[in-house]
């Protein structure tokens, strides 16, 4: 009788672990799917704050720690249009630009984003 109980407990434990692994890896609401969705959402959010040349932006906290957010150029909130990205630490935008944001990265290459008013 004790052997039967032991076997049932072992089967239940393996079944539970197997279900958890299956659910984590295959379920659209499981852990792996949630992690991938979170990473995708974070990548999309990061992209909205990393304009490319020609993108229009609005700048949050322009005098403190500026955060550019890419928006449509037809949007009335559009303040600046990105004209150039200068690679390297401490680069300054030329007189052709109205505003610049220096980006210092802990890993990667430092750069300066140069903008003209829209």
């Amino acid at each position: 009788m004790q052997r039967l109980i032991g076997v049932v407990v072992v089967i239940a434990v393996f079944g539970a672990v197997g279900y958890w692994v299956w659910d984590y890896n295959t379920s659209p609401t499981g852990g792996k799917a949630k992690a991938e969705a979170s990473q995708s959402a974070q990548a999309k959010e990061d992209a909205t704050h990393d304009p490319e040349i020609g993108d229009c932006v609005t700048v949050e906290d322009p005098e403190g720690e500026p955060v550019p957010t890419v928006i449509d150029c037809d949007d009335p909130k559009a303040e600046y249009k990105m004209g150039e990205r200068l690679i390297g630490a401490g680069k300054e935008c030329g007189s052709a630009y109205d505003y610049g944001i220096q980006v210092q990265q802990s890993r990667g290459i430092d750069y300066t984003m140069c903008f003209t008013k829209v």
Side-chain angles (χ1 to χ4, degrees):
M1 183 66 171
Q2 287 182 351
R3 260 187 144 171
L4 180 60
I5 292 173
V7 169
V8 169
V9 168
V10 168
I11 289 173
V13 168
F14 275 108
V17 170
Y19 176 77
W20 180 81
V21 169
W22 172 82
D23 183 59
Y24 182 85
N25 288 305
T26 61
S27 173
T29 59
K32 188 174 184 180
K34 286 179 183 175
E36 289 172 353
S38 176
Q39 287 174 343
S40 176
Q42 185 62 46
K44 194 174 204 178
E45 174 68 20
D46 291 346
T48 65
H49 299 297
D50 188 23
E52 299 294 324
I53 293 174
D55 285 345
C56 290
V57 299
T58 183
V59 179
E60 189 176 312
D61 194 15
E63 299 302 321
E65 293 184 28
V67 177
T69 302
V70 177
I71 59 175
D72 190 73
C73 288
D74 295 330
D75 190 321
K77 293 179 185 175
E79 298 175 282
Y80 300 101
K81 186 171 192 174
M82 182 148 161
E84 191 172 2
R85 183 181 300 243
L86 305 173
I87 305 300
K91 299 280 181 152
E92 297 288 330
C93 297
S95 61
Y97 298 103
D98 299 307
Y99 186 66
I101 298 175
Q102 292 186 353
V103 178
Q104 297 176 348
Q105 298 180 341
S106 58
R107 290 183 274 158
I109 299 172
D110 296 343
Y111 58 93
T112 301
M113 295 182 284
C114 300
F115 300 94
T116 56
K117 286 200 179 273
V118 176

